[in-house]
Amino acid sequence: MEPTVVMIRASAAAVDVVRGIGPGELDRRTPCTELNVRALLNHLIYWTGARGYGAGLKQPPQPGEVEQGHDFTAEPGWAEAYAARAAATAEVWSDPRAWIGETALTGNGRLMPAGFVGGILLCEWLLHGWDLAVATGQQLTVDDDLAAAAYEDVAGRAEMARQYGAFGPEVPVPSTAPLFDRALGLSGRDPAWRREA
């Protein structure tokens, strides 16, 4: 399945989880041990709602653009604002032209293959969508196409991502497990992780 086909569905899956997070859950721990729910939400919103959009258009950060570290969850209506931002980003990345050439995701101007950046956004929505879902007692909706796209991307970048600290050590997952669980394991996540009571 071409990644362009699944971006809108991946975004929508993550947005469903984000909309289900209540104010009392922002301080909960997540599978990303260094980030609680609030911090992980701000990470997700920044990369897939702000920078991911510009990267799909091959645009550098714009004057006045929000900076990394901004607390989006402190803004009124932040979840619905993110839903709109994420949909716009997914729409941009649903255009095959977004995947051609090079683009920059960060503000340092470092260019990377656009397909690599698109894969980062796909994984942000699906892997961090799962992180937020299990941290808040929800379930991320991942169909077979999304699972296949996630597994293919994670498998292709896992070794490099581990070297740069983006993924943790691989968690062994049986080869008979669902494909998305295997993608989680490759990315250093334990599919059996559950939030504390």
Side-chain angles (χ1 to χ4, degrees), residues 11-161:
S11 167
V15 164
D16 283 347
V17 171
V18 168
R19 282 176 164 148
I21 296 173
E25 296 174 308
L26 295 176
D27 294 324
R28 282 190 174 274
R29 69 183 186 94
T30 73
C32 301
T33 54
E34 71 282 8
L35 301 174
N36 64 11
V37 169
R38 184 192 313 274
L40 188 54
L41 279 166
N42 285 320
H43 171 95
L44 180 70
I45 295 169
Y46 178 75
W47 291 112
T48 64
R51 283 304 312 132
Y53 179 80
L57 295 174
K58 315 269 194 315
Q59 292 178 347
Q62 303 298 299
E65 185 175 301
V66 67
E67 297 183 3
Q68 191 173 3
H70 180 78
D71 186 5
F72 295 95
T73 65
E75 299 171 356
W78 63 267
E80 288 309 311
Y82 173 61
R85 289 184 186 119
T89 299
E91 189 67 36
V92 166
W93 283 94
S94 294
D95 185 336
R97 291 173 295 184
W99 298 75
I100 297 170
E102 294 184 319
T103 191
L105 186 57
T106 65
N108 65 10
R110 179 178 166 222
L111 293 175
M112 297 182 284
F116 186 82
V117 172
I120 290 174
L121 296 173
L122 177 71
C123 286
E124 286 281 317
W125 279 318
L126 295 180
L127 297 180
H128 286 325
W130 179 85
D131 293 330
L132 289 167
V134 295
T136 58
Q138 301 183 70
Q139 186 166 355
L140 180 73
T141 302
V142 179
D143 60 31
D144 290 345
D145 291 337
L146 288 179
Y151 183 83
E152 181 179 348
D153 191 84
V154 169
R157 77 175 65 235
E159 197 65 36
M160 180 189 302

